[in-house]
Amino acid sequence: MCTFNLYTVITVFILIDRVHGADNVTYPKFPRQGHFFIENIVTLGQYQRILSEIRYDYDNNRLVTIDDRTFTYYNYTTHQKAVYTRNGLKRCDVYPIDIDNPLDGLSAMMNPQDGTTHIRPLDELLGFPPNATYQGEAVLRGFILVHQWISTMSNESDMIWSFAKPNYLMPWNPESYTIPVQSLLKRKSDGVVLQVMNIFNYQITLTSTAFVLPGGIFCENLVPADDLSSLQDVGMNFPDRFRVRIDASSTSQLLWHSVNFRYYSSNEDKFIRYDYTPFDNTKNPVTIIIDYTQGASRSYKIDRRTGSCIINDSVEIVLATSVLHNPIEMLIKYQNLLMTNPPHRMFQSTGSRACRGSMNCSTLVGQIPLFPPDIQEEWLKTDVEWAWSKRNIDIPSSPYDYPVSLNLNLYKNTGGPPANVHYEFYDYDTNVYLNEFDINLCYRSNQLWYNHLAFKLKITGQPTSDGLEASTIHRRHLAQRLREQIRSITAVKLSRISGLELDHHSKQAGHNDTLYCIFTLLDRTPFVDPSSEIELLDAQTKLEQAINAGTFQLTTEEGLSIEAIPNSLEDVQYFYVFNPNASVNPVDYFHNTTVHVNRTITEYVDEVQEKIQYSDGAQASAVLGGMGVGILAGVSIVLLVGFLIRRKANSSATGGLTFRNISFRVRNHHAQEDQEIVTMEHPVSGREDALT
């Protein structure tokens, strides 16, 4: 007896113009693609009912079958099929597809002329024979008009095929294709039904996500190693400057935790900043700034609550717990491998799918063996899946410009379901500037050397008299140019130029084209060889010489020429930040029209110091005097309280103040001393009598 294979139902057919048994009925005309569901019922022996989903594309030479246990993807071009398990194991195995196997409807056909393989047309997949005989019309499921055909399967059984009439209205069938409805295997001797296959919800069109592979699973050997993709090749790569908020979770954590990530890279410099709350007992928010300058890489960990800073001569992050318990620091440790510089030729596409409701994401998945190193687990491999989206979805050729998620499936050496670490990306932006990687707080908290410097700049060759007010200057870009100019003159690292700020006073006559620049110049990088970096005062001297010689010049992006005013560099002992929104501008403190920056700030601070400064002896006397006053006040209060208590005791009728004298049931006509015995309004004995 021959039984029907569940997976021999597809949605694409070929048109063969033949007539069998009726002059007005032609051989079924089938569509070339489709999406439908199958119910396969076996009635002989043990009753079985199996449901499956079929997605078929004849033109693109592929097929997908889905049941409750597996998701199987057939690629007839490479004659391989990938079987994904639909349980918690999240694994994939690749097998070859048979070629020219007459007993397997899913086997590929080989073209003898060029050796290529192709999926079979639907009549061959179903096993619908070319010699089938037309039997007549019938009605199935109460209302579907069908043509029925019969074919001999063996000496003992026949197969009855039912196809919807071409003029029967079916969804998504504008071409009046013949739609398969049912096949029924019957025994010849007694007509007993042995097997039934019902086809439901047949659609002749496919959605864009019909052949999207299961997410997060790398299928080894599905794609040849030479054909694997790189994220950089498809445009899923981060730029040199960006910021993003990342929410992290894992299978060992119930709550999501966030980290703000900033990245800045240029030809010579690279900085990364993380802001998050670590998983430790303090729960203090921290900022980690990593400077990857060659030969002087440093990490700076700033406690945002206490203001303390730990400077480390290593940029490596040490994980004290498992990666599952600390996904944020895992991302910090491996950001170069996972985010900014992933390996090339490692990823295979799993298609485009909906993400976060209304977004459409393209996903690529790769695999890293023996990753990540962990103090608690030994991981055999990790599947890494990236999902990126496009802001401009109306233009298909537009680049990917928004990271959506990063998913990691970690497989143990011992087998079993993988662990999971997941990251979601929000608030992605490419506007990042160097002032966001400021480390001057670490110098102050660790008492390292630094100087506050200020100087003036002037626009040269300005065509108008309105100066800066009539010019469009991007302040942040100008600050960046100034940093680079100072670095080129002094030969210091960019991280040593800290807190750079610009201001100008438009209402000061003769100075509306003058810029005032204040910044902090930091000393050598901690822990470096003294001969490897220029010392603080030497760098300051170089800058002063360049300004005085008139060589401190630059041109803005707007085409304006700016030059530092000679002899304007000042060492500002007390740092004072300009506030252009204040009611009194710092220029108003200046005592002459040359706008002496150093005199402005130091004179203002010296004036305040003159009012509040005390000698050491005066401060010691003040402390001792305060202590004496406190002691006298305390003794006086104790004596006063004692006097009041004695006075109250002498005036009491019973000779003292005790808890027995206090009654909360004293009535106006009762004496105080008669209330020493407290009685209950409803005694316990009375309630017992009432109950009996």
Side-chain angles (χ1 to χ4, degrees):
M1 179 183 64
C2 178
T3 60
F4 182 71
N5 190 333
L6 169 64
Y7 299 116
T8 58
V9 181
I10 311 299
T11 61
V12 74
F13 301 86
I14 61 174
L15 175 61
I16 304 177
D17 294 325
R18 287 177 291 185
V19 179
H20 296 276
D23 294 338
N24 59 346
V25 178
T26 60
Y27 196 84
K29 173 188 175 182
F30 303 118
R32 301 177 67 86
Q33 63 181 13
H35 181 193
F36 58 94
F37 297 86
I38 294 178
E39 177 191 46
N40 195 22
I41 301 174
V42 179
T43 59
L44 183 63
Q46 185 179 2
Y47 178 84
Q48 294 182 0
R49 180 174 179 268
I50 303 174
L51 296 176
S52 59
E53 180 181 354
I54 306 296
R55 302 166 188 172
Y56 181 81
D57 190 348
Y58 182 85
D59 295 330
N60 291 301
N61 211 19
R62 55 186 179 174
L63 167 71
V64 165
T65 64
I66 306 173
D67 58 28
D68 58 345
R69 293 177 299 175
T70 61
F71 177 105
T72 306
Y73 171 74
Y74 294 80
N75 187 336
Y76 285 89
T77 302
T78 61
H79 48 87
Q80 286 183 323
K81 62 179 180 180
V83 181
Y84 297 82
T85 59
R86 299 189 67 192
N87 52 25
L89 294 178
K90 293 185 177 296
R91 58 176 296 177
C92 172
D93 298 301
V94 177
Y95 305 96
I97 299 176
D98 287 346
I99 299 177
D100 292 332
N101 184 354
L103 300 179
D104 184 3
L106 295 179
S107 65
M109 300 185 305
M110 177 173 286
N111 188 335
Q113 297 180 354
D114 56 11
T116 59
T117 56
H118 205 280
I119 192 172
R120 293 176 179 270
L122 183 59
D123 60 334
E124 296 185 26
L125 288 172
L126 290 174
F128 186 62
N131 59 350
T133 303
Y134 179 72
Q135 192 175 25
E137 298 182 0
V139 178
L140 294 183
R141 303 174 195 165
F143 56 89
I144 301 178
L145 300 177
V146 297
H147 287 302
Q148 290 190 328
W149 302 69
I150 188 170
S151 63
T152 299
M153 303 299 295
S154 67
N155 294 332
E156 299 179 354
S157 61
D158 291 332
M159 183 74 76
I160 299 176
W161 309 85
S162 299
F163 303 98
K165 296 180 66 174
N167 59 353
Y168 180 76
L169 295 178
M170 296 288 286
W172 310 103
N173 190 15
E175 301 295 332
S176 298
Y177 287 113
T178 299
I179 304 300
V181 176
Q182 185 186 80
S183 66
L184 187 146
L185 184 66
K186 296 178 63 176
R187 191 157 53 198
K188 291 182 179 180
S189 59
D190 53 8
V192 173
V193 176
L194 305 177
Q195 181 175 330
V196 179
M197 182 188 68
N198 293 310
I199 300 177
F200 299 97
N201 195 27
Y202 195 105
Q203 300 180 10
I204 67 170
T205 58
L206 294 170
T207 64
S208 59
T209 60
F211 291 90
V212 172
L213 301 179
I217 305 175
F218 180 83
C219 201
E220 193 172 357
N221 299 323
L222 178 63
V223 179
D226 294 338
D227 294 338
L228 292 175
S229 303
S230 302
L231 293 180
Q232 298 86 343
D233 295 339
V234 298
M236 295 183 181
N237 58 309
F238 290 93
D240 291 337
R241 303 172 189 180
F242 70 93
R243 70 172 75 227
V244 67
R245 176 173 62 87
I246 307 173
D247 288 355
S249 181
S250 72
T251 50
S252 297
Q253 288 185 329
L254 180 63
L255 302 177
W256 289 81
H257 298 271
S258 296
V259 56
N260 288 301
F261 181 90
R262 294 179 177 90
Y263 183 86
Y264 183 99
S265 177
S266 63
N267 294 332
E268 301 179 10
D269 306 280
K270 177 181 174 182
F271 302 95
I272 298 179
R273 172 175 171 173
Y274 307 90
D275 296 274
Y276 72 104
T277 301
F279 300 97
D280 55 19
N281 295 328
T282 63
K283 301 299 181 183
N284 289 348
V286 301
T287 294
I288 296 179
I289 298 177
I290 302 178
D291 180 0
Y292 287 95
T293 302
Q294 186 176 4
S297 298
R298 296 292 180 269
S299 64
Y300 304 85
K301 186 175 183 180
I302 304 171
D303 190 317
R304 307 305 301 184
R305 182 169 297 173
T306 63
S308 61
C309 176
I310 299 175
I311 304 176
N312 199 325
D313 60 352
S314 172
V315 297
E316 292 295 328
I317 302 296
V318 179
L319 297 180
T321 59
S322 170
V323 296
L324 299 179
H325 296 283
N326 204 343
I328 288 181
E329 293 192 358
M330 175 196 174
L331 184 64
I332 296 175
K333 183 176 180 66
Y334 299 110
Q335 65 80 24
N336 186 64
L337 176 66
L338 296 176
M339 290 182 58
T340 56
N341 189 26
H344 291 262
R345 298 293 180 186
M346 189 185 82
F347 293 89
Q348 57 185 221
S349 175
T350 55
S352 299
R353 70 194 75 208
C355 55
R356 294 186 194 164
S358 60
M359 298 179 65
N360 185 51
C361 295
S362 296
T363 55
L364 273 78
V365 61
Q367 188 174 94
I368 305 176
L370 302 176
F371 176 83
D374 198 336
I375 63 174
Q376 296 184 5
E377 296 285 353
E378 291 186 3
W379 304 108
L380 176 65
K381 59 184 179 181
T382 294
D383 289 350
V384 180
E385 183 186 57
W386 269 105
W388 281 70
S389 184
K390 301 179 180 180
R391 289 187 175 97
N392 192 355
I393 61 176
D394 297 329
I395 302 178
S397 60
S398 61
Y400 296 101
D401 57 2
Y402 199 93
V404 179
S405 66
L406 170 63
N407 187 79
L408 307 178
N409 285 329
L410 292 76
Y411 295 84
K412 299 180 181 179
N413 283 324
T414 56
N420 179 262
V421 178
H422 190 78
Y423 303 95
E424 290 285 337
F425 294 78
Y426 303 93
D427 305 328
Y428 179 69
D429 189 10
T430 56
N431 293 319
V432 178
Y433 301 93
L434 277 174
N435 60 347
E436 300 175 46
F437 305 90
D438 203 322
I439 58 173
N440 72 84
L441 178 62
C442 293
Y443 275 70
R444 298 202 305 268
S445 63
N446 289 277
Q447 298 183 358
L448 301 175
W449 291 102
Y450 57 90
N451 276 348
H452 297 310
L453 303 177
F455 64 96
K456 295 182 294 183
L457 303 105
K458 205 175 191 68
I459 298 179
T460 59
Q462 178 69 13
T464 64
S465 60
D466 294 334
L468 293 172
E469 292 301 317
S471 304
T472 303
I473 299 179
H474 196 297
R475 293 290 183 91
R476 289 181 173 177
H477 292 173
L478 178 57
Q480 175 69 15
R481 295 294 306 277
L482 287 173
R483 287 175 183 270
E484 294 173 353
Q485 184 75 351
I486 294 174
R487 193 257 298 269
S488 65
I489 293 174
T490 61
V492 300
K493 296 168 48 179
L494 280 180
S495 59
R496 292 178 57 182
I497 306 170
S498 170
L500 190 147
E501 296 204 11
L502 295 171
D503 194 24
H504 83 285
H505 190 21
S506 60
K507 297 181 180 180
Q508 184 73 20
H511 298 280
N512 56 353
D513 59 349
T514 302
L515 283 169
Y516 309 100
C517 176
I518 296 181
F519 68 99
T520 301
L521 185 61
L522 307 179
D523 199 9
R524 296 188 184 101
T525 304
F527 313 119
V528 299
D529 184 358
S531 61
S532 63
E533 289 189 16
I534 188 171
E535 190 265 338
L536 174 62
L537 296 180
D538 293 339
Q540 179 178 339
T541 300
K542 279 191 171 184
L543 178 62
E544 184 175 16
Q545 292 174 350
I547 293 176
N548 295 341
T551 58
F552 193 107
Q553 300 175 351
L554 57 91
T555 302
T556 68
E557 295 181 351
E558 297 78 15
L560 297 177
S561 298
I562 296 181
E563 178 182 345
I565 298 177
N567 302 313
S568 65
L569 180 67
E570 301 288 349
D571 186 349
V572 184
Q573 184 178 2
Y574 300 98
F575 189 70
Y576 180 83
V577 180
F578 288 138
N579 181 10
N581 298 320
S583 58
V584 180
N585 194 279
V587 181
D588 294 337
Y589 293 115
F590 297 170
H591 297 286
N592 52 56
T593 57
T594 60
V595 195
H596 199 286
V597 179
N598 183 51
R599 183 179 304 169
T600 302
I601 299 172
T602 54
E603 286 186 359
Y604 174 73
V605 178
D606 289 342
E607 180 183 353
V608 177
Q609 279 195 329
E610 185 178 353
K611 297 178 181 179
I612 63 174
Q613 190 171 4
Y614 299 95
S615 64
D616 294 340
Q619 294 180 8
S621 301
V623 172
L624 294 176
M627 293 175 60
V629 172
I631 294 174
L632 291 176
V635 172
S636 301
I637 292 174
V638 171
L639 294 176
L640 179 61
V641 172
F643 172 75
L644 294 176
I645 292 176
R646 288 195 301 272
R647 182 176 180 183
K648 182 66 176 177
N650 294 333
S651 62
S652 177
T654 57
L657 181 64
T658 64
F659 287 107
R660 290 179 59 84
N661 304 118
I662 301 176
S663 174
F664 299 98
R665 292 180 177 273
V666 178
R667 297 182 181 178
N668 293 334
H669 59 279
H670 285 174
Q672 175 78 23
E673 53 269 19
D674 295 336
Q675 301 302 321
E676 294 181 355
I677 301 176
V678 179
T679 61
M680 299 180 63
E681 296 182 2
H682 302 286
V684 176
S685 60
R687 292 200 298 271
E688 292 176 351
D689 295 341
L691 293 174
T692 58

